Structures are given as structure tokens and as C-alpha cells.
Amino acid sequence: MARPEFNYTSYDITDKDILYEDNHLIAVNKRAGDIVQVDETGDESLDEKVKKYIAKKYNKPNGAFLGVVHRLDRPVSGVILFAKTSKALDRINKMFKSRDMHKTYYAVVRKRPHPETGTLIHWLVKNSQKNVTKAHDREVQGSLRSELHYKLVAELNGYYLIEVDPITGRPHQIRVQLSTLGTPIVGDNKYGYPRGSLRKSICLHARRLTFIHPVKNEPIEIIAPVPHDGFWEKFEGMMIQ
């Protein structure tokens, strides 16, 4: 059984957490520390919080439908999308599988990446018992091919801001691949940073999600403001819009 990583305070979802909503979809700016779906910790999951928000907002005493279409690691913040109808869920799932959803993340590290721009390809194996993923330079038994593009976009007081565009979506992918590059994410002591964060978070933020709406067939871009924690705000103006 995976060891719980967090003791945290749970907050209800409010209007200020909603980044986008229509009849088919709802996008939330996830807080670091929230878990997307229930696990062995028993902590209230984000999908349950969003269900409660929808049920209250639209006066649905029997509850609301909500489909989980992708996930963010617990210590990661940023945009996460849910489906409000089964039709949207089916179509969004197909878009993720066909890689028609474009996600952009930002990570803060303490070591300048070398090279400053590049593509990382590894074969990842997750140990579910320890909740840790290992990267290999070649295919091994049980591994999944994982690819991302990255580039250094800014430096501030010895910290480096990296933009990451994952091509695949594997468990802990960005965290383990940047660590393998020699640039572990600030606060991510699971993957090589020397100490954890007092905020129970790591400096990885899902900034942007772009796609064609599965029902309306129109382009959608959703951008998640960074956490207001006294650290991330210093980097927000450096992010490429």
C-alpha cells in the first residue's frame, strides 16, 4: 500500500476555483495537496468536492454526474478538467488517448538544465507499492515510453523556470524525467530534491490546457493562475502566454 504523503486541510470548491464551466465541462484550479480521486488516505477527493459544488450550485438534491478524464499528482497545482455529461466524458477520453489535448506545465528547479531546451524520452516503470516511478534509457519489461519537450524560460535568484510540454501522460512523468536530467523540481524530495516543502507541495504547476470542445467544436484555452503562496507569484509574469 502506498504511504500517504500528506496531512492537509481540506477546502471546499468555490466560484473562485472554477476556471471554465459550461453544460458539458468544468475546469478547476487544483490546490497542491488535493487528491483527484479517493485513495487509501480517506481524504476527501477533488472529484467529490466538485460534485458537491455542482449539486449545490444547480440545486441537485440527488447529486451530480462528474467524470474524471485526467489526473494531477497530489503535490501538483493547476488546471484539471472534468466532464459533466457522459457524452463529453466519452469524447474527452478519446481526445486524451489520441493526444488531441495540449497541456503546458511550469516547473521551478535549482539547477540550470543542460541543454536548456530539449526532448526527453524514457521508459518508465511505476512501483505502485512504493508510489514511485523509475526512468530507464531503454525499454524494459513493464515499461511505458514517455516523452516530453522542455525549455528554460527564466532565471530568478538562483531558481530556474522551465516550461514543459508532455507528449505522453504517465504517472509522475515530469517529476522523474526532470530529475533524470539532473534538475529535480523544488520541494520534490521523492525525486531527488534535497528536502521537501513545508507547504506539502512541489513547484510544478499545470498552467494551460488547450483543445477543441468535444461538443461545441470550438477552440478552448484554459489558463490556471499560479498559487498565491509568496513564491510562485514571482514567476507568473515570466510565463509564456
Side-chain angles (χ1 to χ4, degrees):
M1 180 177 291
R3 179 170 168 261
E5 296 179 78
F6 292 92
N7 293 311
Y8 86 116
T9 302
S10 178
Y11 296 96
D12 288 339
I13 296 298
T14 66
D15 290 345
K16 66 181 179 61
D17 300 306
I18 306 303
L19 300 172
Y20 176 88
E21 185 182 6
D22 61 23
N23 291 336
H24 307 279
L25 305 171
I26 185 168
V28 176
N29 194 0
K30 175 187 172 299
R31 300 181 183 93
D34 272 347
I35 191 161
V36 176
Q37 287 185 294
V38 69
D39 71 354
E40 70 280 353
T41 64
D43 293 335
E44 186 178 22
S45 60
L46 183 60
D47 66 330
E48 288 298 327
K49 294 181 185 182
V50 177
K51 285 181 186 178
K52 286 167 54 177
Y53 169 84
I54 295 172
K56 181 178 179 181
K57 181 176 180 179
Y58 298 104
N59 191 23
K60 294 178 177 286
N62 296 322
F65 175 88
L66 192 75
V68 176
V69 295
H70 67 125
R71 294 163 181 79
L72 295 177
D73 292 348
R74 187 159 195 177
V76 178
S77 59
V79 58
I80 185 163
L81 185 69
F82 297 95
K84 292 171 65 178
T85 64
S86 57
K87 178 168 141 179
L89 176 62
D90 181 62
R91 293 183 181 182
I92 286 286
N93 279 333
K94 290 176 181 176
M95 292 169 70
F96 268 100
K97 288 179 181 177
S98 61
R99 301 177 184 173
D100 291 327
M101 309 285 288
H102 182 219
K103 295 178 284 185
T104 301
Y105 291 73
Y106 282 90
V108 179
V109 302
R110 287 304 302 266
K111 293 183 179 180
R112 180 186 292 272
H114 180 75
E116 294 183 358
T117 301
T119 298
L120 300 179
I121 298 175
H122 295 95
W123 281 261
L124 304 188
V125 178
K126 183 177 181 182
N127 183 327
S128 297
Q129 295 297 316
K130 296 182 179 180
N131 192 29
V132 66
T133 296
K134 184 175 181 180
H136 299 267
D137 292 331
R138 57 182 177 81
E139 186 175 7
V140 299
Q141 184 176 3
S143 63
L144 295 173
R145 186 183 185 278
S146 304
E147 180 178 358
L148 62 78
H149 304 314
Y150 74 90
K151 61 182 174 183
L152 175 65
V153 295
E155 178 183 357
L156 179 67
N157 299 328
Y159 292 91
Y160 300 91
L161 182 67
I162 299 177
E163 183 181 277
V164 180
D165 294 309
I167 307 304
T168 54
R170 311 301 189 195
H172 299 188
Q173 177 180 335
I174 297 173
R175 299 165 65 182
V176 67
Q177 287 196 277
L178 288 185
S179 177
T180 302
L181 182 65
T183 55
I185 296 168
V186 169
D188 196 2
N189 59 346
K190 176 174 283 193
Y191 290 104
Y193 195 74
R195 59 189 180 278
S197 167
L198 295 177
R199 301 184 182 95
K200 303 296 184 182
S201 63
I202 64 175
C203 289
L204 180 61
H205 181 70
R207 175 66 167 177
R208 184 186 305 109
L209 185 63
T210 57
F211 57 98
I212 301 298
H213 195 287
V215 179
K216 298 178 181 179
N217 199 33
E218 60 187 25
I220 302 293
E221 179 183 57
I222 305 171
I223 295 177
V226 298
H228 288 262
D229 60 5
F231 181 79
W232 267 113
E233 297 97 322
K234 300 173 184 177
F235 295 95
E236 187 156 27
M238 306 172 187
M239 295 180 179
I240 300 169
Q241 299 298 331

